[in-house]
Amino acid sequence: MLDDFFTRALVAGVGLALVTGPLGCFVVWRRMAYFGDTMAHSALLGVALAFMLSLNMTLGVFAVAALVAGALIVLQRQATLSTDALLGILSHSTLAVGLVLVGFLTTIRIDLMGFLFGDILAVSVSDIAVIYAGGAAILAVLILGWRPLLASTVSPELAEAEGLRPEAARIVLMILMASVIAIAMKLVGVLLITSLLIIPAATARRLSATPEMMAVIAAILGVVAVVGGLYGSLTWDTASGPSIVVMAFIVFALSLLVPVGYFFGRKARHG
């Protein structure tokens, strides 16, 4: 079954969507979209360092994304600049440094457009194994830590009063985002990863009554975006990664035609 490149792309994309949907809910609830962009932009620096040091690319991207998250936490504690300013500095600096380092790799042929916008049609069986193994681990952490993660998202003060350690929950979410970016980079590229995290979750927010329902609907909508985007790419010969994001946006635009609370009555307060 996995001998066909399009089937491999579908299997890989569905596996990724099942992870980015629930995790994207926390990105939306915590208003971490710009943080997601920052970590995604740092992925290119991880790629360059992986090539320079002969490291596994996925591990290189994860390491750099995790270091950027750690740097943000340290800089935030100094309280000398606002969070959005720090994110802007880290985002553009890591992307620029990554591009400069790529320029020094004259002996290695790097598909820069592939890393920026992804090439899900080139996914291999080993890539699928990484996606599903990593995705299963991420989902397991989300499920096991759902209560403290959700409580610290709704009210960090209340979560701390209950002994749930909201700062630890924040660090866990950052690590999970670094992990998703590392496994998703090859599929949708560093410039489109955040879109797959945010758009299905934002759409699900309008159609769900509880946080748990929102996570499930976000995963389903992510799968719809992947399948619809890939078949659209096959039909009209368009770039696969951007086609997936366009499909996700179309679903979001259609959801705007549905009144909030149409399916479940009064809108639930979940972020």
Side-chain angles (χ1 to χ4, degrees), residues 6 10 13-14 17 221-233 244 247:
F6 190 77
L10 281 173
V14 168
L221 294 178
V223 171
V224 171
V226 167
V227 175
L230 284 175
Y231 274 102
S233 172
I244 292 172
M247 184 62 190

Side-chain angles (χ1 to χ4, degrees), residues 24-258:
C25 292
F26 285 98
V27 175
V28 171
W29 291 332
R30 287 174 170 257
R31 297 174 175 86
M32 295 173 64
Y34 198 12
F35 173 74
D37 270 333
T38 300
M39 297 187 73
H41 288 173
S42 71
L44 190 61
L45 175 57
V47 171
L49 290 176
F51 275 113
M52 294 182 70
L53 301 176
S54 299
L55 300 174
N56 178 274
M57 190 179 304
T58 300
L59 292 178
V61 171
F62 171 78
V64 170
L67 286 174
V68 168
L72 176 64
I73 292 174
V74 172
L75 292 173
Q76 280 180 325
R77 289 176 178 172
Q78 297 181 2
T80 55
L81 288 173
S82 62
T83 299
D84 62 335
L86 292 173
L87 288 173
I89 292 170
L90 291 173
S91 174
H92 301 299
S93 297
T94 53
L95 180 61
V97 172
L99 289 170
V100 169
L101 290 181
V102 167
F104 284 115
L105 299 174
T106 55
T107 59
I108 302 175
R109 182 181 179 86
I110 297 179
D111 182 11
L112 192 58
M113 293 298 291
F115 287 122
L116 291 176
F117 297 102
D119 188 7
I120 192 172
L121 298 179
V123 68
S124 64
V125 175
S126 60
D127 292 329
I128 293 175
V130 170
I131 291 166
Y132 276 84
I138 292 169
L139 287 178
V141 173
L142 279 178
I143 293 171
L144 293 175
W146 182 263
R147 181 172 175 269
L149 289 173
L150 186 60
S152 62
T153 298
V154 174
S155 176
E157 294 79 10
L158 183 59
E160 187 170 3
E162 294 181 357
L164 295 178
R165 301 177 63 188
E167 184 63 24
R170 181 166 173 257
I171 294 174
V172 168
L173 280 177
M174 289 183 174
I175 293 175
L176 292 181
M177 287 184 64
S179 302
V180 166
I181 288 168
I183 65 177
M185 178 192 62
K186 186 172 183 178
L187 302 187
V188 293
V190 301
L191 298 182
L192 302 176
I193 292 173
T194 315
S195 301
L196 203 55
L197 279 167
I198 296 172
I199 299 177
T203 307
R205 189 175 185 177
R206 297 179 51 84
L207 307 175
S208 55
T210 66
E212 292 78 12
M213 184 180 295
M214 178 174 164
V216 173
I217 293 177
I220 294 172
L221 294 178
V223 171
V224 171
V226 167
V227 175
L230 284 175
Y231 274 102
S233 172
L234 183 67
T235 302
W236 293 292
D237 193 25
T238 56
S240 54
S243 296
I244 292 172
V245 178
V246 168
M247 184 62 190
F249 174 74
I250 290 174
V251 174
F252 172 76
L254 291 175
S255 75
L256 297 178
L257 302 177
V258 180

